[in-house]
Amino acid sequence: MGRSLFIKFLLTYALFGLLSFAFISTLISQLALTHLTERKAEDLYREANYISSTFVRGYYNRGSSSLEPIHTQFQALDIYLNASIWLLDNSGTLLVNSKENLNIQEPEHIEEFDPTDAGSSYYVIGTFYDRFPEKTLSVLAPVTYNFKTNGYVVLHTPYSQLERERDQILNLIYMAMLIIFLLSLLILLVFTVTVHYPIKTITEAAEQYAQGNFHYAISVSSEDEIGRLADTMNYMAQELSDLDEYQKKFVANISHDFRSPLTSIKGYLEAIQDGTIPPEMQGKYIDILLRETDRLNKLTSGLLTLNSFDTKKNRLDITSFDINAVIKNTVSTFEQACTQKRITLDLLFDSKKLLVSADHSKIQQVLYNLLDNAIKFSHNHSVITIETTAKHEKVFISVKDTGIGIPRDCQKRIWERFYKTDLSRGKDKRGTGLGLAIVKEIIQSHGEHINVISTEGVGTEFIFTLPRVTMEEN
């Protein structure tokens, strides 16, 4: 609707410009040429009468037989007036022509000359009895003596000169009209900027929202009704986007965080069932299964609790705990996976007990994700090192493998949700690409930092920090 109205407005505007140009090109052009012709004819007629009374009448008054003085005067006035000056007698004999030499012996005779051809006017437009190759304005002034017309002074000027003057005037009019037309574009511009574009943007936004793209922002900042409508739609889209993002994030986190522990539980149970784990060792692995089950229960409860709150609110249960013990418990859940790939887990602790202040379950989730990635992308018969180091008020936790590594140009993007490097796709066919994104969110929610050091084909090391708790504080 708005688009068709805008096109109609443009067509009307263009039609107005074309009709205005056509009007000026025809009517105004003709009126201007008529006006210039009449004014030029009037000026030339005045000059012709002056020449007739001043220079030619004396020739007939004195009965002089010499036309030389008149010819000389005509030649001088020709330059001044920029017009050919003729002296014709009543029969049409050309006595004097300012453009040619005086020819008394064989003067040119215009057989068809008739002064009444001009009618009531004192000028004619044409080739003057085919004496000129182009259209000419010819003005006739009679030479009278003793109340008798003895001849005619005729002044000729090219009609093209008047047309050039007309064109100059038209050019000025065209220029003025063009300026007015361009200035009037301001109205169109104001309409386009304040009405058409905002409505078009809002319409496009509505189409995007209908397709589920709630991140499409309406960039309309006016303070009028359209601006308020745009702000309302932006707010609506943001609310829908937050809800949609939360739902996607919730489902993705569940999918990712449940898959690994469930796989581990399934593997241990199958090993117990088929006898891979002997009866005397089953108690140990049942304890691991119970811890994993308890972890899944806690994770489920936490996710359901977070589902009732705004996803932007970080809900952390900060306690003091031994990070070394958490690492040991987390490592034990990967025993079977490491056995299958002949991977050795090397634990290097700064001290026997190292207390940190953090959310126990979330830090366990961080370690779980990092170890899961390290095992997944390590070669068979390789070593993964988990190290803790206390420095001042921080504890540095490092998870280092000797696997495929991460390409340099991908290291900044590994924290993005769902991002997977080309090298990892073959190793992680079932991964969602959320593990490292979750890790970074958890660490940042604690106000801490996590970094990666990796060389393609050599290995990768993840290092993050946690606040240290001294024995006195505990």
Side-chain angles (χ1 to χ4, degrees), residues 90-94 108-114 117 129 131:
N90 290 330
S91 63
T93 301
L94 180 57
E108 183 180 355
H109 183 70
I110 304 175
E111 294 286 347
E112 61 272 21
F113 174 72
D114 185 358
D117 288 343
Y129 305 105
R131 291 304 187 274

Side-chain angles (χ1 to χ4, degrees), residues 401-424:
D401 64 63
T402 55
I404 62 175
I406 304 170
R408 181 183 298 273
D409 56 349
C410 298
Q411 292 180 17
K412 291 183 178 180
R413 299 191 59 192
I414 60 173
W415 311 110
E416 297 178 7
R417 295 179 182 273
F418 307 107
Y419 179 78
K420 298 175 73 175
T421 66
D422 293 335
L423 292 176
S424 69

Side-chain angles (χ1 to χ4, degrees), residues 21-38:
F21 180 80
F23 175 77
I24 292 177
S25 299
T26 55
L27 182 60
I28 300 300
S29 176
Q30 187 60 39
L31 291 175
L33 186 58
T34 301
H35 174 73
L36 290 172
T37 301
E38 291 178 351

Side-chain angles (χ1 to χ4, degrees), residues 395-445:
V395 174
F396 291 81
I397 299 96
S398 166
V399 179
K400 182 178 181 181
D401 64 63
T402 55
I404 62 175
I406 304 170
R408 181 183 298 273
D409 56 349
C410 298
Q411 292 180 17
K412 291 183 178 180
R413 299 191 59 192
I414 60 173
W415 311 110
E416 297 178 7
R417 295 179 182 273
F418 307 107
Y419 179 78
K420 298 175 73 175
T421 66
D422 293 335
L423 292 176
S424 69
R425 293 185 186 275
K427 298 279 187 179
D428 187 21
K429 297 184 183 298
R430 296 182 299 171
T432 62
L434 287 171
L436 292 179
I438 294 172
V439 166
K440 188 167 186 178
E441 284 188 4
I442 292 175
I443 297 301
Q444 287 184 339
S445 68

Side-chain angles (χ1 to χ4, degrees), residues 16-78:
F16 168 76
L18 291 175
L19 290 178
S20 299
F21 180 80
F23 175 77
I24 292 177
S25 299
T26 55
L27 182 60
I28 300 300
S29 176
Q30 187 60 39
L31 291 175
L33 186 58
T34 301
H35 174 73
L36 290 172
T37 301
E38 291 178 351
R39 191 182 67 179
K40 185 66 174 179
E42 183 179 347
D43 292 341
L44 291 177
Y45 185 71
R46 189 183 304 112
E47 295 295 338
N49 280 325
Y50 175 76
I51 294 171
S52 173
S53 60
T54 304
F55 303 108
V56 180
R57 184 177 297 175
Y59 170 77
Y60 293 100
N61 185 21
R62 294 189 300 269
S64 175
S65 60
S66 176
L67 295 172
E68 188 65 38
I70 296 176
H71 184 257
T72 302
Q73 292 293 340
F74 278 17
Q75 287 182 324
L77 292 171
D78 181 301

Side-chain angles (χ1 to χ4, degrees), residues 87-264:
L87 176 59
L88 294 171
D89 62 13
N90 290 330
S91 63
T93 301
L94 180 57
L95 303 177
V96 179
N97 184 351
S98 63
K99 295 295 185 183
E100 298 178 358
N101 296 326
L102 188 63
N103 186 1
I104 300 175
Q105 303 298 328
E106 296 179 356
E108 183 180 355
H109 183 70
I110 304 175
E111 294 286 347
E112 61 272 21
F113 174 72
D114 185 358
T116 62
D117 288 343
S120 60
S121 180
Y122 50 84
Y123 67 89
V124 293
I125 300 173
T127 58
F128 201 76
Y129 305 105
D130 297 327
R131 291 304 187 274
F132 294 96
E134 61 179 353
K135 188 184 292 187
T136 305
L137 172 64
S138 302
V139 178
L140 290 81
V143 181
T144 59
Y145 178 70
N146 289 334
F147 305 101
K148 179 183 177 182
T149 299
N150 298 297
Y152 295 90
V153 174
V154 186
L155 273 65
H156 306 283
T157 187
Y159 199 67
S160 59
Q161 181 179 350
L162 298 177
E163 292 176 335
R164 283 195 296 271
E165 292 182 17
R166 185 272 313 271
D167 292 341
Q168 291 175 355
I169 294 174
L170 287 179
N171 288 337
L172 293 176
I173 295 176
Y174 289 151
M175 186 64 66
M177 183 181 176
L178 178 61
I179 293 174
I180 295 173
F181 190 74
L182 291 176
L183 289 176
S184 66
L185 285 174
L186 292 176
I187 300 175
L188 179 62
L189 179 62
V190 170
F191 172 80
T192 303
V193 173
T194 61
V195 178
H196 173 65
Y197 280 163
I199 291 178
K200 183 179 179 181
T201 302
I202 292 174
T203 303
E204 291 177 353
E207 294 174 353
Q208 291 292 327
Y209 300 156
Q211 297 173 7
N213 181 17
F214 303 115
H215 297 287
Y216 189 91
I218 305 175
S219 56
V220 177
S221 58
S222 59
E223 299 296 332
D224 54 13
E225 291 81 359
I226 294 179
R228 290 195 292 272
L229 175 61
D231 292 338
T232 303
M233 292 193 67
N234 277 331
Y235 177 76
M236 177 193 70
Q238 184 60 46
E239 292 297 313
L240 292 174
S241 176
D242 290 343
L243 179 60
D244 184 65
E245 184 67 24
Y246 173 71
Q247 291 175 342
K248 291 178 180 179
K249 184 177 181 180
F250 179 75
V251 173
N253 280 330
I254 290 178
S255 174
H256 182 273
D257 294 327
F258 275 67
R259 177 178 297 156
S260 294
L262 287 175
T263 301
S264 179

